[in-house]
């Protein structure tokens, strides 16, 4: 199993920044690819950014390109999401997720493990 615990959410004004963290533990096999997803009320969960743990290749949703940066610290088993230039449309519950697939992507079905989420509110 893989355990994921998010932190760093909160309330911020439009144009502001937040940094989310996700502490991972458990089997490394299950987390070849890690990602951030988000879900706003009444909307489907959507992929925001993903990163391959081994090679560090990143993937972003078009809506966050140029504003969000995903990174990882393998020594600390921690995933980050730096979010800049936030808008009210970024308001959502943000989830950390892990996939065993080496072919990293933002396909929801590829991810086996999920954190409990951290709320981001932009006003």
């Amino acid at each position: 199993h893989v355990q994921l615990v998010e932190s760093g959410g909160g309330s911020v004004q439009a144009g502001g920044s937040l940094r989310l963290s996700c502490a991972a533990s458990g089997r490394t096999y299950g987390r070849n690819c890690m990602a951030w997803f988000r879900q706003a009320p009444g909307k489907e969960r959507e992929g925001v950014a993903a990163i391959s743990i081994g090679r560090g290749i990143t993937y972003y949703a078009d809506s966050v390109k140029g504003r969000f940066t995903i990174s990882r610290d393998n020594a600390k088993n921690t995933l980050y999401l730096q979010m800049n230039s936030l808008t009210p449309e970024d308001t959502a519950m943000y989830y950390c997720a892990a996939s065993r697939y080496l072919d990293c992507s933002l396909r929801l079905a590829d991810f086996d493990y999920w954190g409990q989420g951290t709320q981001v509110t932009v006003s």
Side-chain angles (χ1 to χ4, degrees):
H1 270 307
V2 175
Q3 292 81 39
L4 303 170
V5 179
E6 302 98 333
S7 61
S11 297
V12 64
Q13 291 188 336
S17 298
L18 281 174
R19 188 194 195 202
L20 306 183
S21 299
C22 172
S25 60
R27 56 190 300 181
T28 56
Y29 169 76
R31 39 190 171 101
N32 290 312
C33 172
M34 295 191 69
W36 291 96
F37 287 77
R38 66 186 181 186
Q39 188 166 18
K43 294 188 177 181
E44 294 185 351
R45 192 169 297 190
E46 63 173 357
V48 174
I51 186 168
S52 61
I53 296 303
R55 299 177 65 185
I57 299 173
T58 57
Y59 309 81
Y60 293 95
D62 288 342
S63 59
V64 306
K65 281 181 181 176
R67 301 188 299 122
F68 290 12
T69 302
I70 189 171
S71 62
R72 88 279 192 230
D73 185 332
N74 290 345
K76 295 182 178 180
N77 290 321
T78 303
L79 180 73
Y80 303 100
L81 185 68
Q82 177 67 43
M83 304 185 295
N84 299 328
S85 302
L86 286 162
T87 73
E89 288 70 35
D90 296 315
T91 295
M93 184 72 78
Y94 282 70
Y95 297 91
C96 175
S99 166
R100 66 189 184 276
Y101 294 111
L102 293 171
D103 181 17
C104 202
S105 74
L106 289 173
R107 290 187 295 267
L108 187 69
D110 285 355
F111 290 83
D112 307 300
Y113 303 100
W114 296 85
Q116 294 298 308
T118 185
Q119 178 67 38
V120 171
T121 303
V122 185
S123 60

